[in-house]
Amino acid sequence: MHKSLADRIEECGVVSIIRGTDPAKIIPTVQAVYDGGIRAVEITMNTEGAFEMIKAARKEFSGRMLIGAGTVLDEQAARMSIAAGCDFLLSPTLDAGVIRLANAYSVLAIPGVMTPTEALEGWKAGAGFIKIFPAGVLGPGYIKAVKGPLPQLRLMPVGGVNLENAGEFIRCGADALGIGGELVNKKRVEAGAFEEIRSLAAAYLEAVQKARA
């Protein structure tokens, strides 16, 4: 199951990160991302009402989208996220306990790392994807450098990925991209700019597809 979840994220190529937005607007927000073609969203744990948002999104989009929990820092948060029904756990850091717990419940673990040593340790611990963070600081070339000696790793740059550099990250070997405030942010959600979110989601997917071609 881990492989199929990782395959589905890689196939789509983009995970939309939802942070700090109004819990009452989670369904139209995810719908806008879905309408743009993205099939995986991450709701971060430092968003008020995160567990309820995961449950609501899972109920509405079950079978159509992967719903993940983000900013998962420890096993307690991981356990609560899994209980809420998440498909994957995405973290800014590497915690072997979180990975073990995810694997025990057939949930995909995506730990955050910065160094090749951390990346390989996460992979050996059973992570199906490795989040490279903060990607904007490291740059697309860093992905290519890591993939050189470690081509078996599935890498997802997160943090500072935007429409200008998305294609270059893919060309340098990224297997998927995590997009945060450049796609979904509090300002757009509060303004009800769901058509803008839909359009941006489609633009990110187009950038990924063009780079892969």
Side-chain angles (χ1 to χ4, degrees):
M1 186 173 182
H2 300 167
K3 184 178 180 181
S4 68
L5 290 170
D7 285 346
R8 287 168 67 183
I9 287 177
E10 182 174 345
E11 182 181 1
C12 177
V14 179
V15 175
S16 172
I17 301 167
I18 300 174
R19 183 189 307 276
T21 60
D22 184 355
K25 296 184 178 178
I26 185 61
I27 299 304
T29 300
V30 177
Q31 185 68 54
V33 171
Y34 179 86
D35 290 344
I38 293 175
R39 296 295 179 261
V41 297
E42 166 204 338
I43 298 167
T44 68
M45 289 298 95
N46 55 354
T47 297
E48 185 179 351
F51 297 117
E52 288 72 23
M53 293 166 79
I54 290 171
K55 289 177 184 176
R58 179 62 186 263
K59 182 178 179 181
E60 181 72 22
F61 296 93
S62 179
R64 295 189 289 153
M65 286 194 84
L66 296 179
I67 309 297
T71 319
V72 178
L73 303 181
D74 52 42
E75 290 182 59
Q76 182 181 2
R79 195 175 295 277
M80 293 173 71
S81 300
I82 292 167
C86 73
D87 295 298
F88 61 92
L89 301 173
L90 217 152
S91 308
T93 51
L94 174 61
D95 186 303
V98 170
I99 298 172
R100 283 194 300 269
L101 190 63
N103 288 337
Y105 287 93
S106 295
V107 169
L108 176 67
I110 309 176
V113 309
M114 190 175 184
T115 68
T117 298
E118 291 176 318
L120 186 58
E121 284 303 308
W123 190 257
K124 286 161 65 177
F129 244 101
I130 301 295
K131 168 181 170 178
I132 299 295
F133 176 82
V137 175
L138 298 166
Y142 186 77
I143 303 296
K144 185 175 183 179
V146 172
K147 274 290 185 101
L150 300 170
Q152 73 272 32
L153 304 190
R154 295 203 220 204
L155 302 182
M156 179 192 301
V158 180
V161 181
N162 54 47
L163 273 178
E164 286 66 46
N165 60 26
E168 187 60 23
F169 272 109
I170 293 294
R171 284 188 289 273
C172 283
D175 299 285
L177 307 173
I179 314 294
E182 295 284 345
L183 174 54
V184 175
N185 57 45
K186 189 174 182 179
K187 185 177 179 181
R188 287 193 182 112
V189 173
E190 285 183 346
F194 299 116
E195 176 54 33
E196 182 181 1
I197 292 172
R198 185 208 65 76
S199 179
L200 282 168
Y204 276 104
L205 282 183
E206 183 180 13
V208 167
Q209 290 159 3
K210 281 185 176 180
R212 286 176 171 174

